Amino acid sequence: QVRLVESGGGLVQAGGSLRLSCAASVSIFRVDTMGWYRQAPGKQRELVAQITPGGNTDYADSVKDRFTISRDNAKITVYLQMNGLRPEDTAVYYCNAIEMRVPLRQYWGQGTQVTVSS
């Protein structure tokens, strides 16, 4: 059963913008923190940004002031607005969500490709 579905990836020139979306299935008991990770070829997956239900955010230094994470709690959806994209932003972007269970449960989306040309 699919729990997280990403969309919005694509090919863009350097300096361009993309908006990623990730919708969580209602089958997830209670969604807490949601976020975006990315993984470039030959590199480890890294945190890009995350957001709590109350709107507290955290960003990787490399994307701060360029990317904005937001969420719609009613739709159980998280967004990532990416501006000023750079070639080094090229990666597969994965949605992540924490389900409030005992113990806590983590879910991952299938990933959406973001490619930034120079």
Side-chain angles (χ1 to χ4, degrees), residues 62-114:
S62 60
V63 307
K64 195 171 185 178
D65 300 323
R66 298 189 297 122
F67 294 6
T68 302
I69 190 169
S70 61
R71 67 189 289 165
D72 184 329
N73 291 327
K75 295 180 179 179
I76 322 176
T77 301
V78 64
Y79 308 92
L80 186 68
Q81 179 66 46
M82 304 185 293
N83 299 324
L85 284 163
R86 304 165 180 169
E88 54 263 40
D89 294 318
T90 296
V92 177
Y93 284 69
Y94 296 91
C95 183
N96 174 270
I98 302 298
E99 181 180 11
M100 293 184 67
R101 286 181 176 269
V102 180
L104 295 178
R105 172 70 170 167
Q106 183 172 249
Y107 294 90
W108 293 96
Q110 291 281 82
T112 184
Q113 178 71 47
V114 171

Short mmCIF file of all heavy atoms in Angstrom, two decimals, residues 62-114:
data_model
loop_
_atom_site.label_atom_id
_atom_site.label_comp_id
_atom_site.label_asym_id
_atom_site.label_seq_id
_atom_site.Cartn_x
_atom_site.Cartn_y
_atom_site.Cartn_z
N SER A 62 22.89 24.20 2.56
CA SER A 62 23.07 24.38 1.13
C SER A 62 21.81 24.89 0.42
O SER A 62 21.90 25.40 -0.69
CB SER A 62 23.53 23.07 0.48
OG SER A 62 22.57 22.05 0.68
N VAL A 63 20.65 24.76 1.06
CA VAL A 63 19.40 25.18 0.42
C VAL A 63 18.70 26.31 1.15
O VAL A 63 17.72 26.87 0.62
CB VAL A 63 18.42 24.00 0.25
CG1 VAL A 63 19.10 22.83 -0.45
CG2 VAL A 63 17.85 23.56 1.60
N LYS A 64 19.17 26.64 2.32
CA LYS A 64 18.54 27.70 3.09
C LYS A 64 18.53 29.01 2.30
O LYS A 64 19.51 29.36 1.65
CB LYS A 64 19.27 27.89 4.42
CG LYS A 64 18.51 28.71 5.44
CD LYS A 64 19.19 28.66 6.80
CE LYS A 64 18.37 29.38 7.85
NZ LYS A 64 19.00 29.29 9.19
N ASP A 65 17.43 29.71 2.33
CA ASP A 65 17.19 30.97 1.61
C ASP A 65 16.87 30.76 0.13
O ASP A 65 16.59 31.73 -0.58
CB ASP A 65 18.36 31.95 1.74
CG ASP A 65 18.64 32.33 3.18
OD1 ASP A 65 17.68 32.49 3.96
OD2 ASP A 65 19.83 32.48 3.54
N ARG A 66 16.91 29.52 -0.33
CA ARG A 66 16.50 29.21 -1.70
C ARG A 66 15.27 28.32 -1.75
O ARG A 66 14.43 28.48 -2.63
CB ARG A 66 17.64 28.52 -2.47
CG ARG A 66 18.88 29.37 -2.63
CD ARG A 66 19.87 28.70 -3.59
NE ARG A 66 20.34 27.42 -3.09
CZ ARG A 66 20.20 26.26 -3.74
NH1 ARG A 66 19.59 26.22 -4.92
NH2 ARG A 66 20.67 25.14 -3.21
N PHE A 67 15.17 27.38 -0.81
CA PHE A 67 14.05 26.45 -0.75
C PHE A 67 13.13 26.82 0.40
O PHE A 67 13.56 27.32 1.44
CB PHE A 67 14.54 25.01 -0.54
CG PHE A 67 15.32 24.43 -1.67
CD1 PHE A 67 15.70 25.18 -2.78
CD2 PHE A 67 15.69 23.09 -1.63
CE1 PHE A 67 16.43 24.63 -3.82
CE2 PHE A 67 16.41 22.52 -2.66
CZ PHE A 67 16.78 23.29 -3.75
N THR A 68 11.84 26.53 0.23
CA THR A 68 10.86 26.75 1.28
C THR A 68 9.98 25.52 1.41
O THR A 68 9.36 25.09 0.44
CB THR A 68 9.99 27.98 0.99
OG1 THR A 68 10.81 29.14 0.85
CG2 THR A 68 9.00 28.21 2.13
N ILE A 69 9.92 24.96 2.61
CA ILE A 69 9.06 23.82 2.87
C ILE A 69 7.79 24.31 3.55
O ILE A 69 7.82 25.23 4.37
CB ILE A 69 9.78 22.75 3.72
CG1 ILE A 69 8.96 21.47 3.77
CG2 ILE A 69 10.10 23.27 5.11
CD1 ILE A 69 9.71 20.28 4.37
N SER A 70 6.67 23.70 3.20
CA SER A 70 5.39 24.04 3.79
C SER A 70 4.52 22.79 3.82
O SER A 70 4.86 21.78 3.21
CB SER A 70 4.70 25.17 3.02
OG SER A 70 4.45 24.78 1.68
N ARG A 71 3.41 22.86 4.54
CA ARG A 71 2.52 21.70 4.61
C ARG A 71 1.08 22.12 4.78
O ARG A 71 0.79 23.21 5.29
CB ARG A 71 2.95 20.76 5.74
CG ARG A 71 2.78 21.32 7.14
CD ARG A 71 3.43 20.40 8.18
NE ARG A 71 2.68 19.16 8.35
CZ ARG A 71 3.14 18.07 8.95
NH1 ARG A 71 4.40 18.05 9.42
NH2 ARG A 71 2.38 16.99 9.09
N ASP A 72 0.19 21.24 4.36
CA ASP A 72 -1.23 21.39 4.54
C ASP A 72 -1.66 20.21 5.39
O ASP A 72 -1.74 19.08 4.90
CB ASP A 72 -1.95 21.40 3.19
CG ASP A 72 -3.44 21.65 3.31
OD1 ASP A 72 -4.05 21.27 4.32
OD2 ASP A 72 -4.01 22.25 2.38
N ASN A 73 -1.92 20.45 6.65
CA ASN A 73 -2.24 19.35 7.56
C ASN A 73 -3.56 18.67 7.23
O ASN A 73 -3.71 17.47 7.44
CB ASN A 73 -2.24 19.86 9.00
CG ASN A 73 -0.86 20.23 9.49
OD1 ASN A 73 0.14 19.63 9.11
ND2 ASN A 73 -0.79 21.23 10.37
N ALA A 74 -4.53 19.44 6.72
CA ALA A 74 -5.82 18.86 6.36
C ALA A 74 -5.67 17.87 5.20
O ALA A 74 -6.33 16.84 5.17
CB ALA A 74 -6.81 19.95 6.00
N LYS A 75 -4.80 18.21 4.24
CA LYS A 75 -4.57 17.35 3.09
C LYS A 75 -3.45 16.35 3.33
O LYS A 75 -3.20 15.50 2.48
CB LYS A 75 -4.24 18.18 1.85
CG LYS A 75 -5.38 19.06 1.37
CD LYS A 75 -4.96 19.85 0.14
CE LYS A 75 -6.09 20.72 -0.37
NZ LYS A 75 -5.69 21.51 -1.56
N ILE A 76 -2.80 16.46 4.47
CA ILE A 76 -1.64 15.64 4.81
C ILE A 76 -0.64 15.68 3.64
O ILE A 76 -0.22 14.64 3.12
CB ILE A 76 -2.02 14.19 5.15
CG1 ILE A 76 -3.33 14.13 5.94
CG2 ILE A 76 -0.91 13.54 5.98
CD1 ILE A 76 -3.82 12.73 6.22
N THR A 77 -0.29 16.87 3.24
CA THR A 77 0.59 17.09 2.11
C THR A 77 1.70 18.05 2.48
O THR A 77 1.46 19.05 3.17
CB THR A 77 -0.21 17.65 0.91
OG1 THR A 77 -1.24 16.72 0.55
CG2 THR A 77 0.70 17.86 -0.28
N VAL A 78 2.90 17.75 2.02
CA VAL A 78 4.04 18.62 2.23
C VAL A 78 4.56 19.09 0.88
O VAL A 78 4.52 18.34 -0.11
CB VAL A 78 5.14 17.91 3.05
CG1 VAL A 78 5.72 16.72 2.30
CG2 VAL A 78 6.24 18.89 3.44
N TYR A 79 5.04 20.33 0.83
CA TYR A 79 5.53 20.92 -0.40
C TYR A 79 6.96 21.40 -0.22
O TYR A 79 7.40 21.71 0.89
CB TYR A 79 4.66 22.12 -0.81
CG TYR A 79 3.18 21.81 -0.87
CD1 TYR A 79 2.36 22.03 0.24
CD2 TYR A 79 2.60 21.32 -2.03
CE1 TYR A 79 1.01 21.76 0.18
CE2 TYR A 79 1.25 21.04 -2.09
CZ TYR A 79 0.46 21.26 -0.98
OH TYR A 79 -0.88 20.98 -1.04
N LEU A 80 7.67 21.48 -1.32
CA LEU A 80 9.00 22.06 -1.32
C LEU A 80 9.11 22.99 -2.52
O LEU A 80 9.17 22.53 -3.66
CB LEU A 80 10.08 20.98 -1.38
CG LEU A 80 11.52 21.49 -1.25
CD1 LEU A 80 11.77 22.04 0.16
CD2 LEU A 80 12.51 20.39 -1.56
N GLN A 81 9.11 24.29 -2.25
CA GLN A 81 9.32 25.28 -3.30
C GLN A 81 10.81 25.50 -3.45
O GLN A 81 11.48 25.92 -2.49
CB GLN A 81 8.62 26.59 -2.95
CG GLN A 81 8.81 27.69 -3.99
CD GLN A 81 8.16 27.36 -5.31
OE1 GLN A 81 7.02 26.92 -5.36
NE2 GLN A 81 8.89 27.57 -6.40
N MET A 82 11.34 25.23 -4.63
CA MET A 82 12.77 25.32 -4.88
C MET A 82 13.02 26.44 -5.88
O MET A 82 12.62 26.35 -7.03
CB MET A 82 13.31 23.99 -5.40
CG MET A 82 13.03 22.81 -4.48
SD MET A 82 13.80 21.28 -5.05
CE MET A 82 12.86 20.99 -6.55
N ASN A 83 13.70 27.47 -5.43
CA ASN A 83 14.06 28.60 -6.27
C ASN A 83 15.57 28.69 -6.40
O ASN A 83 16.31 28.17 -5.57
CB ASN A 83 13.51 29.91 -5.69
CG ASN A 83 12.01 29.93 -5.58
OD1 ASN A 83 11.30 29.39 -6.43
ND2 ASN A 83 11.50 30.59 -4.54
N GLY A 84 16.01 29.37 -7.43
CA GLY A 84 17.44 29.53 -7.63
C GLY A 84 18.18 28.21 -7.71
O GLY A 84 19.24 28.04 -7.12
N LEU A 85 17.61 27.27 -8.45
CA LEU A 85 18.18 25.93 -8.53
C LEU A 85 19.57 25.94 -9.16
O LEU A 85 19.84 26.73 -10.07
CB LEU A 85 17.26 25.00 -9.29
CG LEU A 85 16.03 24.54 -8.50
CD1 LEU A 85 14.97 23.98 -9.43
CD2 LEU A 85 16.44 23.49 -7.47
N ARG A 86 20.41 25.08 -8.66
CA ARG A 86 21.78 24.94 -9.12
C ARG A 86 22.03 23.52 -9.59
O ARG A 86 21.35 22.60 -9.15
CB ARG A 86 22.76 25.28 -7.98
CG ARG A 86 22.55 26.66 -7.37
CD ARG A 86 23.28 26.78 -6.05
NE ARG A 86 23.10 28.09 -5.44
CZ ARG A 86 23.44 28.40 -4.21
NH1 ARG A 86 24.00 27.48 -3.42
NH2 ARG A 86 23.22 29.62 -3.75
N PRO A 87 23.02 23.31 -10.46
CA PRO A 87 23.32 21.95 -10.91
C PRO A 87 23.56 20.97 -9.77
O PRO A 87 23.19 19.80 -9.88
CB PRO A 87 24.56 22.13 -11.78
CG PRO A 87 24.43 23.51 -12.32
CD PRO A 87 23.83 24.31 -11.20
N GLU A 88 24.15 21.43 -8.68
CA GLU A 88 24.41 20.55 -7.55
C GLU A 88 23.14 20.13 -6.81
O GLU A 88 23.20 19.28 -5.93
CB GLU A 88 25.40 21.19 -6.57
CG GLU A 88 25.00 22.57 -6.08
CD GLU A 88 25.68 23.69 -6.85
OE1 GLU A 88 25.81 23.58 -8.09
OE2 GLU A 88 26.09 24.69 -6.22
N ASP A 89 22.00 20.74 -7.15
CA ASP A 89 20.73 20.31 -6.59
C ASP A 89 20.18 19.08 -7.30
O ASP A 89 19.17 18.51 -6.86
CB ASP A 89 19.70 21.44 -6.66
CG ASP A 89 20.06 22.63 -5.80
OD1 ASP A 89 20.52 22.42 -4.66
OD2 ASP A 89 19.88 23.77 -6.26
N THR A 90 20.80 18.69 -8.39
CA THR A 90 20.34 17.53 -9.15
C THR A 90 20.40 16.28 -8.28
O THR A 90 21.44 15.94 -7.73
CB THR A 90 21.20 17.33 -10.40
OG1 THR A 90 21.02 18.45 -11.28
CG2 THR A 90 20.80 16.06 -11.14
N ALA A 91 19.27 15.60 -8.16
CA ALA A 91 19.17 14.41 -7.32
C ALA A 91 17.77 13.85 -7.42
O ALA A 91 16.87 14.47 -7.99
CB ALA A 91 19.48 14.76 -5.86
N VAL A 92 17.59 12.67 -6.86
CA VAL A 92 16.26 12.14 -6.64
C VAL A 92 15.80 12.65 -5.29
O VAL A 92 16.50 12.47 -4.28
CB VAL A 92 16.23 10.60 -6.68
CG1 VAL A 92 14.83 10.10 -6.37
CG2 VAL A 92 16.68 10.10 -8.04
N TYR A 93 14.66 13.28 -5.25
CA TYR A 93 14.12 13.84 -4.03
C TYR A 93 13.07 12.91 -3.45
O TYR A 93 12.14 12.49 -4.13
CB TYR A 93 13.53 15.23 -4.28
CG TYR A 93 14.59 16.29 -4.45
CD1 TYR A 93 15.42 16.31 -5.56
CD2 TYR A 93 14.77 17.27 -3.47
CE1 TYR A 93 16.41 17.26 -5.70
CE2 TYR A 93 15.76 18.23 -3.60
CZ TYR A 93 16.58 18.22 -4.72
OH TYR A 93 17.56 19.18 -4.85
N TYR A 94 13.22 12.59 -2.17
CA TYR A 94 12.34 11.65 -1.49
C TYR A 94 11.56 12.33 -0.39
O TYR A 94 12.13 13.05 0.43
CB TYR A 94 13.14 10.51 -0.87
CG TYR A 94 13.87 9.64 -1.87
CD1 TYR A 94 15.18 9.92 -2.24
CD2 TYR A 94 13.25 8.52 -2.42
CE1 TYR A 94 15.86 9.12 -3.14
CE2 TYR A 94 13.92 7.72 -3.32
CZ TYR A 94 15.22 8.02 -3.68
OH TYR A 94 15.89 7.22 -4.57
N CYS A 95 10.28 12.09 -0.36
CA CYS A 95 9.44 12.55 0.73
C CYS A 95 9.59 11.61 1.91
O CYS A 95 9.77 10.40 1.75
CB CYS A 95 7.98 12.60 0.27
SG CYS A 95 6.83 13.24 1.51
N ASN A 96 9.51 12.16 3.10
CA ASN A 96 9.64 11.39 4.32
C ASN A 96 8.58 11.84 5.32
O ASN A 96 8.27 13.03 5.40
CB ASN A 96 11.04 11.57 4.90
CG ASN A 96 11.21 10.91 6.25
OD1 ASN A 96 10.97 11.53 7.29
ND2 ASN A 96 11.63 9.66 6.25
N ALA A 97 8.05 10.90 6.06
CA ALA A 97 7.06 11.24 7.07
C ALA A 97 7.22 10.34 8.28
O ALA A 97 7.56 9.16 8.15
CB ALA A 97 5.64 11.12 6.52
N ILE A 98 6.98 10.91 9.44
CA ILE A 98 7.04 10.17 10.70
C ILE A 98 5.61 9.92 11.17
O ILE A 98 4.82 10.86 11.29
CB ILE A 98 7.82 10.94 11.77
CG1 ILE A 98 9.25 11.23 11.30
CG2 ILE A 98 7.81 10.17 13.09
CD1 ILE A 98 10.07 9.99 11.04
N GLU A 99 5.29 8.67 11.43
CA GLU A 99 3.99 8.29 11.95
C GLU A 99 4.09 8.15 13.46
O GLU A 99 4.99 7.47 13.96
CB GLU A 99 3.51 6.98 11.34
CG GLU A 99 2.14 6.54 11.83
CD GLU A 99 1.68 5.24 11.21
OE1 GLU A 99 2.50 4.56 10.55
OE2 GLU A 99 0.49 4.90 11.38
N MET A 100 3.18 8.77 14.17
CA MET A 100 3.19 8.72 15.62
C MET A 100 2.64 7.38 16.11
O MET A 100 1.43 7.23 16.33
CB MET A 100 2.42 9.89 16.22
CG MET A 100 3.07 11.24 15.97
SD MET A 100 2.21 12.61 16.79
CE MET A 100 2.51 12.22 18.51
N ARG A 101 3.51 6.44 16.22
CA ARG A 101 3.22 5.13 16.78
C ARG A 101 4.22 4.85 17.88
O ARG A 101 5.16 5.60 18.08
CB ARG A 101 3.35 4.04 15.71
CG ARG A 101 2.24 3.97 14.68
CD ARG A 101 2.51 2.84 13.71
NE ARG A 101 1.44 2.65 12.75
CZ ARG A 101 0.41 1.83 12.92
NH1 ARG A 101 0.30 1.13 14.04
NH2 ARG A 101 -0.52 1.72 11.98
N VAL A 102 3.98 3.79 18.62
CA VAL A 102 4.95 3.33 19.61
C VAL A 102 5.43 1.96 19.17
O VAL A 102 4.68 0.98 19.26
CB VAL A 102 4.34 3.27 21.01
CG1 VAL A 102 5.39 2.78 22.01
CG2 VAL A 102 3.81 4.63 21.43
N PRO A 103 6.68 1.85 18.68
CA PRO A 103 7.62 2.95 18.44
C PRO A 103 7.25 3.76 17.20
O PRO A 103 6.40 3.34 16.40
CB PRO A 103 8.95 2.21 18.24
CG PRO A 103 8.54 0.92 17.61
CD PRO A 103 7.24 0.54 18.28
N LEU A 104 7.88 4.90 17.04
CA LEU A 104 7.65 5.74 15.87
C LEU A 104 7.97 5.00 14.59
O LEU A 104 8.89 4.18 14.54
CB LEU A 104 8.47 7.02 15.96
CG LEU A 104 8.14 7.99 17.10
CD1 LEU A 104 9.08 9.18 17.07
CD2 LEU A 104 6.70 8.45 17.02
N ARG A 105 7.23 5.29 13.53
CA ARG A 105 7.40 4.66 12.24
C ARG A 105 7.75 5.70 11.18
O ARG A 105 7.15 6.77 11.13
CB ARG A 105 6.11 3.93 11.85
CG ARG A 105 6.08 3.37 10.44
CD ARG A 105 7.01 2.20 10.27
NE ARG A 105 6.80 1.54 8.99
CZ ARG A 105 7.62 0.65 8.47
NH1 ARG A 105 8.72 0.30 9.12
NH2 ARG A 105 7.34 0.11 7.29
N GLN A 106 8.72 5.38 10.34
CA GLN A 106 9.16 6.28 9.28
C GLN A 106 8.75 5.74 7.91
O GLN A 106 8.92 4.55 7.64
CB GLN A 106 10.67 6.47 9.34
CG GLN A 106 11.23 7.45 8.32
CD GLN A 106 12.69 7.74 8.55
OE1 GLN A 106 13.06 8.85 8.94
NE2 GLN A 106 13.55 6.76 8.31
N TYR A 107 8.23 6.61 7.04
CA TYR A 107 7.82 6.23 5.70
C TYR A 107 8.58 7.04 4.66
O TYR A 107 8.95 8.20 4.89
CB TYR A 107 6.32 6.47 5.49
CG TYR A 107 5.44 5.58 6.33
CD1 TYR A 107 5.02 5.97 7.60
CD2 TYR A 107 5.02 4.34 5.86
CE1 TYR A 107 4.22 5.16 8.37
CE2 TYR A 107 4.21 3.52 6.63
CZ TYR A 107 3.82 3.93 7.88
OH TYR A 107 3.02 3.11 8.64
N TRP A 108 8.81 6.42 3.50
CA TRP A 108 9.50 7.05 2.39
C TRP A 108 8.67 6.98 1.12
O TRP A 108 8.00 5.98 0.86
CB TRP A 108 10.84 6.37 2.11
CG TRP A 108 11.85 6.53 3.20
CD1 TRP A 108 12.11 5.66 4.22
CD2 TRP A 108 12.74 7.64 3.38
NE1 TRP A 108 13.11 6.15 5.01
CE2 TRP A 108 13.51 7.36 4.53
CE3 TRP A 108 12.95 8.83 2.68
CZ2 TRP A 108 14.49 8.24 4.99
CZ3 TRP A 108 13.92 9.70 3.15
CH2 TRP A 108 14.68 9.40 4.29
N GLY A 109 8.73 8.03 0.31
CA GLY A 109 8.13 8.00 -1.00
C GLY A 109 9.04 7.31 -2.00
O GLY A 109 10.18 6.95 -1.68
N GLN A 110 8.56 7.14 -3.22
CA GLN A 110 9.32 6.48 -4.27
C GLN A 110 10.41 7.37 -4.85
O GLN A 110 11.37 6.86 -5.44
CB GLN A 110 8.40 6.01 -5.40
CG GLN A 110 7.47 4.88 -5.02
CD GLN A 110 8.16 3.54 -5.04
OE1 GLN A 110 8.83 3.16 -4.08
NE2 GLN A 110 8.00 2.80 -6.12
N GLY A 111 10.29 8.66 -4.70
CA GLY A 111 11.26 9.60 -5.21
C GLY A 111 10.83 10.26 -6.50
O GLY A 111 10.14 9.65 -7.32
N THR A 112 11.25 11.49 -6.70
CA THR A 112 11.00 12.22 -7.93
C THR A 112 12.30 12.88 -8.38
O THR A 112 13.01 13.48 -7.58
CB THR A 112 9.87 13.26 -7.75
OG1 THR A 112 9.58 13.89 -9.00
CG2 THR A 112 10.24 14.33 -6.72
N GLN A 113 12.63 12.74 -9.65
CA GLN A 113 13.90 13.22 -10.18
C GLN A 113 13.87 14.72 -10.43
O GLN A 113 12.95 15.24 -11.06
CB GLN A 113 14.25 12.50 -11.49
CG GLN A 113 15.54 12.98 -12.15
CD GLN A 113 16.78 12.56 -11.39
OE1 GLN A 113 16.91 11.41 -11.00
NE2 GLN A 113 17.68 13.51 -11.17
N VAL A 114 14.88 15.40 -9.93
CA VAL A 114 15.10 16.82 -10.20
C VAL A 114 16.45 16.94 -10.89
O VAL A 114 17.47 16.52 -10.35
CB VAL A 114 15.08 17.66 -8.92
CG1 VAL A 114 15.52 19.10 -9.22
CG2 VAL A 114 13.70 17.65 -8.30
#
